[in-house]
Amino acid sequence: MAPLLEVKNLHYYYGNIHSVKGIDLYVDEGEIVTLIGANGAGKTTTLQTISGLTSPRGVRGEILFKGKPIQRLRGNRVVGLGLMQVLEGRHIFAKLSVEENLLTGAYLRKDAAGIREDLGEVYALFPRLLERRAQLGGTLSGGEQQMLAIGRALINKPRMMLLDEPSLGLAPLIIKEIFIAIKKINSEGTTVLFVEQNSKIALATASRGYVLQTGEVVMHNTCENLLNNEDVKKAYLGM
Amino acid sequence: MTRKKTLLMAALAAAALIVIYLFLVNHAPIKLRRLALTGVMLGCIYGLIALGYSLIYKASGLMSFVQGDIMTIGAFLGLTFFTFFRGLFGTGEEGESNVGTFILSVLLTTAFAFLFGILLEKGTIRKLLNKNVMAIYVVLATIAISYIIQNGAQIIWGGIPLPVPSVFTVLFVQVIGVRIQPEMVLCVILSAGCMIMLHFFMTRTRMGTSLRAAAMDAKAAEACGIDVSLSTGLTWGMAAGLAAIAGILVGPIYGVYTMLGANIGRKGFSAAVIGGYGNMYGAMLGGIILGLAETFVAGYASSTLKNLIAYILLIAFLFIKPTGIFNERAIQDV
Ligand SMILES: Nc1ncnc2c1ncn2[C@@H]1O[C@H](COP(=O)(O)OP(=O)(O)OP(=O)(O)O)[C@@H](O)[C@H]1O
Ligand SMILES: [Mg+2]
């Protein structure tokens, strides 16, 4: 069976800065896959290019989602196909309430009753958002904002969710909570591809991993094998 | 804003209005009452213009100097429609009521201006931004477009002010013991109606919330499935619509001439700054404050000073309270 997401020889250019240099990757339906690498390796660029959030002029190569090429689509169209991204840095709508933020994630859905139901599910997953539903997004703590960002993507019932550094700037306890939620989302049927600086938790959460270095995939294996790889241990796990 | 806070503010505003009303009716001399009424009317117009500035600023981070000229176009277009429909539906007799025709003209003019606003954004602003032109040059481009419209209007409609036929059969109505033109009352009611509708549209509908979301964070909005390019266009359309409404509403009061919008539009900037540039509610309140300040200065000091007060207030606010009444972010992060 063809993978749900397939990226073939993907390049990205910011003007004449060549940031992503021919990446190949795939994610099968139901999988949870991670993309790790140092600062500036091109992780964010790769994810945002998949989601149509970078300028289409800079893209070369092919991105297939559900077998359809999407590399020419704008970001809002990609969302319509069932591919949602939780952005690096969370990007909460600061002056919208928590609930308005969540409902904005369901912007393309037309079934009011279904949206209500899924809003309830997001609140069940993150009870802290329910307590703060009327509060403005900008006033939440970092961890709560990350929950809100994930909830905002989840409410659209995506077939696949991309997450960019969900642990960014969070305390260890909150990181744990966030990753439990991500695993739960995956176990309930959403395919997940996530980017992480925190390689330890990334490799413990995912089943497969890609290691990115200056815009290229330098390693690809099961997380088990990556965890035992000497180079990975030295460079990314600090061992 | 949370619902509780909104309700509280609405209650406070209503209480303040009642107190002011009682004071004016029972204690104020007739001149003060007249000035207050004129000030509120003019303030509504400034408010509509300033609302447009705020919407555009929030959606695109830009300021558009075309706003005032769209008001002029609105005034001329409104007059044209109004005259046309009066000929079509009316008997042309003196003292005939034209309220229906006028409302129809307002709606049509607004629709045209809305399209014009979208075209302005899609056809020029967006094109320039896509070429990675810096914001300051885009603002300069709006100044150029503004002059083109002013001179174009001059060529089409000539330099002399055109009178607008009256909308109502009566020439005067009594409000708090002052005789004023009924068109002034209509102006206040329709402007207030627009502002209230805009408030509910922006805060209570999915569409409005998505427009605000797109203005707050374009990338996040796109990642939610919102067509940000369309949202920005619609926002410019709404700004243009509000300006045109301002134009057609003042027509019967001041007459229609090519510099009408330019004069009021420039002062509208001041209203936006007073309220907090980019804040919808600030724009309305700033408009009313400016309208009242101008009329009172004209009434109690001099009419030369009247035309300066907007700019004096603008500079004063920039120095003393750049965030305006509603505390919009005005200082750059360092
Ligand atoms: N808007 C931009 N314009 C020019 N170059 C950019 C831009 N954004 C990113 N880059 C460059 O592209 C490369 C990859 O950046 P990217 O943000 O994708 O890395 P990353 O792996 O996500 O890093 P981090 O872990 O710090 O988030 C970097 O060298 C960066 O400097
Ligand atoms: Mg990154």
Side-chain angles (χ1 to χ4, degrees), chain A residues 48 52-53 57 74-76 79 84-85 87 91 93-96 100 104-109 115 134 152, chain B residues 1-2 58 130 132 203 206-207 209-210 212-214 216-217 219-229 328:
Chain A
Q48 296 204 350
L53 298 170
R57 274 174 296 178
R74 283 186 14 217
N76 56 314
V79 171
M84 289 294 268
Q85 174 154 183
L87 293 162
H91 284 260
F93 300 116
K95 297 269 177 85
L96 294 187
E100 283 172 325
T104 305
Y107 177 71
L108 290 179
R109 289 181 64 173
I115 295 174
R152 192 173 64 185
Chain B
M1 248 186 300
T2 59
K58 274 288 151 89
N130 283 347
N132 289 327
T203 58
R206 277 177 78 153
M207 179 97 208
T209 308
S210 79
R212 284 196 300 144
M216 277 175 226
D217 189 327
K219 186 166 262 181
E222 195 170 342
C224 286
I226 294 168
D227 186 337
V228 176
S229 163
E328 267 309 308

Side-chain angles (χ1 to χ4, degrees), chain B residues 241-255:
Chain B
L242 291 168
I245 291 175
I248 185 168
L249 289 181
V250 290
I253 302 165
Y254 293 147

Side-chain angles (χ1 to χ4, degrees), chain A residues 128-129 132 135 139-149:
Chain A
R128 277 207 256 176
L129 296 183
R132 291 167 171 71
Q135 205 171 311
T139 64
L140 295 185
S141 74
E144 290 158 358
Q145 289 197 1
Q146 190 62 60
M147 293 172 192
L148 182 53

Side-chain angles (χ1 to χ4, degrees), chain B:
Chain B
M1 248 186 300
T2 59
R3 180 162 295 191
K4 224 181 201 167
K5 217 164 133 194
T6 318
L7 280 177
L8 187 70
M9 297 238 326
L12 277 177
L17 283 180
I18 291 168
V19 170
I20 292 169
Y21 173 79
L22 289 175
F23 168 76
L24 286 175
V25 171
N26 296 319
H27 303 287
I30 189 106
K31 179 175 179 187
L32 197 143
R33 290 188 225 170
R34 165 174 293 286
L35 290 176
L37 288 180
T38 318
V40 168
M41 186 280 295
L42 185 60
C44 284
I45 297 302
Y46 286 137
L48 289 177
I49 295 290
L51 264 176
Y53 288 135
S54 292
L55 288 173
I56 286 173
Y57 179 64
K58 274 288 151 89
S60 304
L62 294 172
M63 74 212 289
S64 166
F65 281 82
V66 191
Q67 195 65 358
D69 305 292
I70 296 175
M71 178 179 174
T72 310
I73 296 179
F76 277 111
L77 211 56
L79 173 60
T80 309
F81 281 131
F82 191 38
T83 318
F84 174 74
F85 287 126
R86 242 170 49 106
L88 201 64
F89 303 129
T91 52
E93 277 167 40
E94 207 46 45
E96 177 186 27
S97 168
N98 295 306
V99 183
T101 349
F102 188 72
I103 301 280
L104 179 63
S105 312
V106 171
L107 292 177
L108 265 177
T109 308
T110 313
F112 268 89
F114 184 73
L115 287 179
F116 180 85
I118 293 180
L119 285 178
L120 177 67
E121 201 274 334
K122 290 270 158 284
T124 55
I125 309 297
R126 170 89 5 218
K127 289 253 152 54
L128 289 174
L129 290 175
N130 283 347
K131 287 182 195 291
N132 289 327
V133 171
M134 284 206 295
I136 184 73
Y137 294 108
V138 182
V139 174
L140 286 179
T142 69
I143 296 181
I145 296 168
S146 157
Y147 282 123
I148 291 171
I149 295 178
Q150 273 166 35
N151 289 297
Q154 186 91 12
I155 293 167
I156 299 173
W157 288 295
I160 40 166
L162 304 176
V164 177
S166 42
V167 181
F168 296 92
T169 42
V170 288
L171 287 179
F172 296 104
V173 284
Q174 290 269 349
V175 180
I176 53 169
V178 185
R179 272 156 55 114
I180 56 169
Q181 247 183 294
E183 282 82 1
M184 283 175 65
V185 180
L186 184 68
C187 172
V188 172
I189 290 175
L190 288 188
S191 318
C194 283
M195 293 174 184
I196 291 168
M197 267 167 38
L198 186 72
H199 161 75
F200 281 106
F201 173 70
M202 292 303 263
T203 58
R204 296 278 185 276
T205 68
R206 277 177 78 153
M207 179 97 208
T209 308
S210 79
L211 293 184
R212 284 196 300 144
M216 277 175 226
D217 189 327
K219 186 166 262 181
E222 195 170 342
C224 286
I226 294 168
D227 186 337
V228 176
S229 163
L230 180 67
S231 300
T232 314
L234 290 177
T235 306
W236 281 67
M238 290 196 314
L242 291 168
I245 291 175
I248 185 168
L249 289 181
V250 290
I253 302 165
Y254 293 147
V256 172
Y257 52 101
T258 46
M259 292 305 284
L260 172 73
N263 291 337
I264 292 183
R266 271 199 296 268
K267 292 179 187 164
F269 278 125
S270 174
V273 170
I274 293 172
Y277 208 105
N279 186 298
M280 269 184 3
Y281 311 99
M284 301 173 198
L285 187 64
I288 307 269
I289 291 175
L290 178 61
L292 287 170
E294 261 198 356
T295 342
F296 277 93
V297 167
Y300 289 110
S302 77
S303 51
T304 333
L305 199 57
K306 170 199 170 214
N307 283 323
L308 287 182
I309 192 73
Y311 308 108
I312 293 172
L313 279 174
L314 189 144
I315 298 288
F317 263 83
L318 285 182
F319 271 97
I320 300 161
K321 196 162 185 343
T323 55
I325 295 168
F326 277 78
N327 268 327
E328 267 309 308
R329 208 182 73 106
I331 310 291
Q332 281 188 26
D333 299 323
V334 280

Side-chain angles (χ1 to χ4, degrees), chain A residues 154-230:
Chain A
L154 187 61
I155 198 172
N156 201 30
K157 296 208 136 180
R159 186 85 173 264
M160 178 165 189
M161 195 188 280
L162 308 181
L163 299 107
D164 197 344
E165 295 207 34
S167 77
L168 192 76
L170 303 183
L173 226 59
I174 305 285
I175 296 180
K176 220 169 151 190
E177 208 176 316
I178 296 283
F179 273 91
I180 289 172
I182 294 172
K183 279 187 108 153
K184 185 141 186 259
I185 290 167
N186 175 248
S187 71
E188 280 165 14
T190 307
T191 307
V192 172
L193 171 63
F194 70 95
V195 155
E196 254 309 329
Q197 286 268 348
N198 186 335
S199 311
K200 213 165 171 175
I201 196 154
L203 294 176
T205 307
S207 59
R208 269 191 311 122
Y210 291 85
V211 180
L212 222 61
Q213 205 174 306
T214 56
E216 285 172 290
V217 173
V218 292
M219 242 182 276
H220 164 220
N221 215 321
T222 62
C223 287
E224 213 178 332
N225 290 341
L226 288 173
L227 278 167
N228 292 323
N229 182 294
E230 288 306 318

